[in-house]
């Protein structure tokens, strides 16, 4: 039995949640439908825990930040509405992942808040985790925030350490890489417009569709700076956790209805369940 029977790349735009879409529920409807499919596939894989890779959680500069609190809790708001989520943390798996990464010489930080355990031991759950988790089975989680930078080798190695820890745990682990892509698709967006956005996202769509996630590490740093994606780092951790010979890719959708790109893809383990 493979320890990671299903993984996915899932976006986190607020309007994906119909409750937060205001008067434009159709704005991200295609992505919403894809996430519903990914959620169904994850439920069929029956994980006992979900590891969520997010670009927006609590950060430890230059380190892989791993939750080690009793719980995580957060709220996202949009168009006058709010969605709140709370999940228990699988602390045993969180510590196993961190220890496996540290044993490989990777910089990793275990994060907690206030008290070692009990009701005050709760870290914030960010929108990068809440949006995709909204579609996933309600099981304990481990939230990981990978560091940014142009050296992607550590992310592939962290993914391999994550997979090793999952295998040693004896648990079925679902993996969610929360990724929005280029953020410079529209002049009206907070980062303005740059032609690099369409170029980078087209390459991401092509590489993901072909299952060649490792090639994301070869992007030119200037292209990344101009396009401003926030998905590269999480996608490469997923690639390290499910290497090419042990994953089957299903590309579901891509759209850029506002200033940033949204992509959904699922990855079944080739080893079966």
């Amino acid at each position: 039995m493979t320890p990671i029977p299903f993984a996915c790349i899932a976006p986190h735009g607020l309007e994906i949640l119909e409750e937060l879409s205001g008067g434009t529920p159709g704005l991200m409807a295609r992505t919403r439908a894809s996430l519903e499919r990914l959620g169904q596939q994850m439920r069929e894989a029956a994980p006992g825990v979900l590891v969520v890779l997010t670009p927006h959680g609590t950060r430890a500069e230059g380190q892989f930040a791993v939750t080690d609190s009793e719980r995580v809790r957060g709220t996202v708001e949009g168009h006058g509405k709010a969605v709140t989520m709370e999940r228990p943390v699988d602390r045993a798996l969180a510590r196993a992942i961190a220890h496996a990464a540290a044993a490989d010489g990777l910089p990793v930080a275990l994060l907690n808040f206030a008290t070692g355990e009990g009701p005050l031991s709760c870290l914030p759950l960010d929108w990068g985790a809440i949006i995709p988790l909204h579609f996933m089975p309600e099981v304990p989680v481990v939230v990981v925030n990978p560091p940014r930078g142009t050296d992607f080798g550590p992310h592939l190695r962290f993914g391999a350490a994550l997979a090793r820890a999952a295998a040693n745990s004896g648990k079925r682990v679902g993996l969610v890489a929360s990724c929005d892509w280029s953020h410079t698709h529209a002049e009206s967006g907070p980062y303005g417009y740059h032609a690099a956005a369409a170029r980078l996202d087209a390459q991401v769509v092509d590489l993901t569709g072909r299952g060649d996630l490792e090639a994301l590490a070869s992007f030119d740093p200037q292209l990344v700076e101009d396009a401003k994606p926030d998905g590269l780092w999480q996608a490469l951790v997923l690639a390290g956790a499910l290497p090419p010979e042990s994953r089957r890719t299903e590309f579901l959708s891509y759209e850029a209805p506002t200033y940033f790109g949204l992509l959904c893809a699922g990855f079944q383990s080739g080893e079966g369940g």
Side-chain angles (χ1 to χ4, degrees), residues 2-272:
T2 177
I4 305 178
F6 186 72
C8 61
I9 291 175
H12 49 259
L14 298 187
E15 290 90 347
I16 295 171
L17 299 189
E18 195 161 357
E19 300 95 318
L20 305 182
S21 63
T24 58
L27 181 67
M28 297 182 182
R30 185 181 181 194
T31 296
R32 187 179 306 124
S34 293
L35 267 166
E36 288 169 352
R37 175 170 172 78
L38 291 175
Q40 180 58 39
Q41 290 175 308
M42 188 67 82
R43 282 187 289 275
E44 291 170 358
V49 57
L50 291 172
V51 176
V52 186
L53 310 167
T54 174
H56 299 304
T58 304
R59 298 187 181 187
E61 188 66 27
Q63 297 178 288
F64 291 89
V66 182
T67 54
D68 185 29
S69 52
E70 289 274 341
R71 299 170 294 115
V72 285
R73 187 177 191 274
T75 299
V76 291
E77 300 178 354
H79 300 284
K81 302 289 185 180
V83 172
T84 297
M85 178 179 290
E86 182 173 325
R87 294 285 186 272
V89 174
D90 188 325
R91 301 183 78 176
L93 181 60
R95 292 171 181 179
I97 291 169
H99 293 159
D104 284 353
L106 294 166
V108 60
L110 278 166
L111 306 178
N112 198 353
F113 176 78
T115 60
E117 56 188 22
L120 294 179
S121 176
C122 184
L123 283 166
L125 191 63
D126 69 281
W127 69 98
I130 292 174
I131 301 300
L133 280 176
H134 183 85
F135 298 86
M136 301 293 154
E138 293 190 25
V139 297
V141 302
V142 174
V143 181
V144 179
N145 189 317
R148 300 292 181 105
T150 57
D151 180 6
F152 299 116
H155 297 77
L156 293 165
R157 291 167 53 209
F158 184 89
L162 188 163
R164 190 168 68 252
N168 291 337
S169 75
K171 301 172 182 178
R172 291 175 68 85
V173 178
L175 182 58
V176 179
S178 181
C179 305
D180 287 345
W181 295 94
S182 296
H183 282 61
T184 55
H185 281 283
E187 190 64 48
S188 59
Y191 307 103
Y193 171 80
H194 200 290
R199 293 201 305 272
L200 186 143
D201 281 11
Q203 292 180 55
V204 171
V205 168
D206 176 61
L207 293 171
T208 303
R210 292 194 280 116
D212 189 9
L213 297 181
E214 289 74 12
L216 297 173
S218 66
F219 282 174
D220 180 83
Q222 189 60 54
L223 177 67
V224 174
E225 173 60 27
D226 292 338
K228 293 182 170 41
D230 70 13
L232 290 176
W233 300 268
Q234 300 82 255
L236 286 165
V237 171
L238 186 154
L242 284 180
E245 64 274 11
S246 63
R247 67 177 181 248
R248 298 192 303 272
T249 303
E250 181 184 13
F251 180 87
L252 294 180
S253 64
Y254 170 84
E255 62 178 343
T258 60
Y259 65 91
F260 56 94
L262 308 169
L263 184 152
C264 293
F267 305 90
Q268 299 277 355
S269 170
E271 299 174 11

